[in-house]
């Protein structure tokens, strides 16, 4: 009996060691890359022009796009504060690429892109300026081409900044998903209270380094239970430490540099057609903020509320998200009040 029990325990330890050798990150990356490649997108890197005041070192943007010159209207997909642009947009690139030349960049400080230069400060306006430089550097994209833009969460801040700075002659219809452009310090405090009051700052929660915090972030981000949230603690801990340790200090500075909610930011209407998308169970940016943002963005704004959906409707309800966004973008292209290409 002793010998049999020892053998059983040894076998259990061996199975655990084998399981510990498995990481879900390569699986996530494989699924994401497969979706991007299937959509005809390839990885690229572009070096941006450097301002003399930026100091030494080149600033590069890593992005996914079809090879060659655009044969379809350009569409820019801007990710949020999650660690992987490919994971956030993997369910969109296939349907969208049938009608658009899809470009998916890693924002500065994320993925394969450079950290933000020290000057200008790494605000969402600086991110927008980097994306404008990326568009100017895209092979075969005319300087007069109008680019449709979709941004989610923090990416919505950047999308708004880009649309306002570039104007309707360069940036066409804009989709902003679950992005509180009226966020205040009080909203940050309310978010931490909804999370349970255990975290001192939003950065501690949005960039988790332990399994408990990661599970709580998933609960706040998704309305529907995620398979990854049911993984063992050691797998989640390994995953988040790999994902959120990359450029961690730079990302914390990025959060501090957000101008939304400060005296340096004013939400003004956009001239472009705007689709505002919001999950009705969003616990990061609650639904009531959607109506306030809509009132401030002007007359050309349509609000689409996704039921039984949290902070990332493009991941929780991708079929509806893709249909609603594509219908909006294609209708805006045909609208007679749009600027000519």
């Amino acid at each position: 009996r002793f010998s049999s029990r020892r053998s059983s325990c040894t076998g259990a330890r061996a199975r655990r060691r084998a399981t510990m050798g498995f990481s879900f990150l390569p699986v996530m990356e494989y699924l994401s890359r497969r979706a991007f490649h299937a959509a005809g997108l390839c990885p690229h890197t572009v070096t941006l022009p450097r301002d003399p005041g930026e100091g030494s070192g080149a600033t590069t943007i890593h992005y996914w796009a079809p090879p060659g010159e655009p044969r379809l209207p350009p569409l820019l997909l801007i990710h949020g504060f999650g660690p992987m642009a490919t994971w956030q947009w993997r369910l969109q690139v296939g349907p969208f690429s049938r009608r658009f030349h899809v470009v998916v960049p890693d924002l500065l400080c994320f993925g394969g892109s450079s950290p933000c230069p020290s000057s200008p400060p790494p605000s969402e306006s600086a991110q927008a300026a980097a994306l404008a430089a990326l568009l100017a550097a895209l092979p075969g994209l005319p300087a007069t081409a109008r680019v449709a833009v979709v941004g989610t969460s923090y990416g919505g801040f950047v999308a708004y900044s880009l649309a306002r700075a570039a104007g309707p002659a360069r940036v066409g219809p804009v989709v902003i998903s679950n992005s509180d452009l009226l966020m205040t310090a009080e909203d940050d405090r309310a978010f931490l209270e909804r999370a349970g009051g255990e975290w001192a700052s939003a950065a501690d929660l949005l960039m988790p380094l332990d399994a408990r915090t990661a599970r709580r972030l998933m609960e706040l981000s998704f309305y529907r239970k995620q398979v990854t949230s049911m993984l063992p603690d050691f797998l989640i801990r390994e995953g988040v430490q790999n994902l959120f340790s990359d450029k961690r200090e730079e990302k914390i500075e990025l959060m501090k540099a957000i101008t939304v909610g400060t005296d340096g930011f004013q939400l003004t209407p956009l001239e472009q057609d705007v689709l505002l998308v919001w999950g009705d169970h969003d616990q990061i940016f609650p639904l009531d903020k959607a109506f306030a943002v809509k009132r401030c963005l002007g007359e050309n704004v349509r609000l689409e509320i996704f039921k039984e959906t949290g902070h990332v409707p493009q991941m929780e309800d991708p079929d509806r998200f893709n249909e609603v966004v594509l219908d909006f973008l294609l209708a805006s292209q045909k609208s007679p009040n749009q600027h000519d290409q």
Side-chain angles (χ1 to χ4, degrees):
R1 289 179 184 176
F2 178 81
S3 175
S4 174
R5 183 180 178 183
R6 181 180 181 187
S7 175
S8 175
C9 291
T10 302
R13 285 196 298 269
R15 286 193 297 273
R16 177 171 174 78
R17 283 196 298 270
T19 305
M20 291 181 68
F22 166 80
S23 172
F24 67 91
L25 287 182
V27 177
M28 289 172 59
E29 186 173 358
Y30 168 75
L31 291 173
S32 301
R33 286 178 171 270
R34 187 175 69 172
F36 273 62
H37 284 302
L41 277 62
C42 304
H44 307 269
T45 302
V46 64
T47 300
L48 304 183
R50 186 168 62 86
D51 237 341
E54 289 181 0
S56 60
T59 299
T60 59
I61 292 281
H62 175 271
Y63 68 99
W64 289 79
E69 298 185 358
R71 292 176 292 177
L72 294 169
L75 170 61
L76 188 67
L77 302 181
I78 308 176
H79 66 83
F81 222 85
M84 296 171 66
T86 49
W87 186 248
Q88 292 184 39
W89 294 119
R90 69 185 179 89
L91 301 173
Q92 281 65 55
V93 288
F96 288 2
S97 64
R98 298 184 191 112
R99 305 300 296 269
F100 292 92
H101 183 88
V102 175
V103 180
V104 186
D106 288 330
L107 292 171
L108 295 176
C109 283
F110 293 89
S113 294
S114 298
C116 293
S118 56
S119 176
S123 67
E124 62 274 27
S125 298
Q127 295 277 17
L131 293 185
L134 166 64
L135 293 175
L138 286 179
L141 183 67
T144 56
R146 297 181 74 239
V147 181
V149 176
V150 181
T152 180
S153 192
Y154 174 74
F157 297 171
V158 180
Y160 173 80
S161 296
L162 178 61
R164 190 167 73 171
R170 183 56 161 167
V171 172
V174 182
V175 180
I176 296 174
S177 177
N178 291 71
S179 184
D180 184 6
L181 293 165
L182 292 170
M183 181 183 67
T184 64
E186 180 57 37
D187 290 320
D188 270 350
R189 286 190 287 271
F191 166 59
L192 292 173
E193 288 177 8
R194 285 194 299 276
E198 301 176 37
W199 291 273
S201 70
D204 293 335
L205 186 52
L206 294 175
M207 294 189 294
L209 288 178
D210 61 78
R212 184 175 61 88
T213 304
R215 289 185 197 279
R216 188 64 185 126
L217 178 59
M218 282 187 274
E219 292 168 355
L220 293 165
S221 300
F222 294 90
Y223 175 70
R224 305 165 196 182
K225 194 166 186 66
Q226 300 298 297
V227 173
T228 49
S229 69
M230 295 182 277
L231 291 171
D233 279 357
F234 70 89
L235 282 180
I236 293 180
R237 184 169 56 252
E238 176 198 8
V240 298
Q241 286 175 350
N242 288 335
L243 285 172
F244 292 98
S245 60
D246 180 48
K247 306 184 185 80
R248 185 176 181 82
E249 294 305 316
E250 291 89 342
K251 288 176 183 174
I252 291 173
E253 291 304 312
L254 199 62
M255 282 190 180
K256 293 178 181 177
I258 291 174
T259 62
V260 172
T262 69
D263 293 339
F265 177 87
Q266 184 178 6
L267 184 60
T268 56
L270 291 176
E271 296 180 58
Q272 296 93 334
D273 287 340
V274 178
L275 173 64
L276 196 59
V277 172
W278 222 282
D280 66 344
H281 285 78
D282 188 349
Q283 296 188 72
I284 294 180
F285 295 142
L287 179 59
D288 62 328
K289 299 304 294 287
F291 301 101
V293 170
K294 182 180 184 295
R295 285 193 296 270
C296 291
L297 277 179
E299 298 179 356
N300 303 323
V301 183
R302 176 178 131 210
L303 173 60
E304 194 76 27
I305 298 172
F306 282 53
K307 293 184 178 180
E308 298 184 349
T309 305
H311 187 64
V312 282
Q314 81 276 15
M315 298 174 72
E316 283 199 275
D317 196 352
D319 291 341
R320 186 180 173 215
F321 183 91
N322 297 346
E323 180 183 3
V324 167
V325 170
L326 278 173
D327 285 350
F328 166 76
L329 294 177
L330 295 172
S332 294
Q333 284 186 328
K334 299 174 183 176
S335 176
N337 67 347
Q338 293 298 306
H339 290 246
D340 294 331
Q341 294 264 1

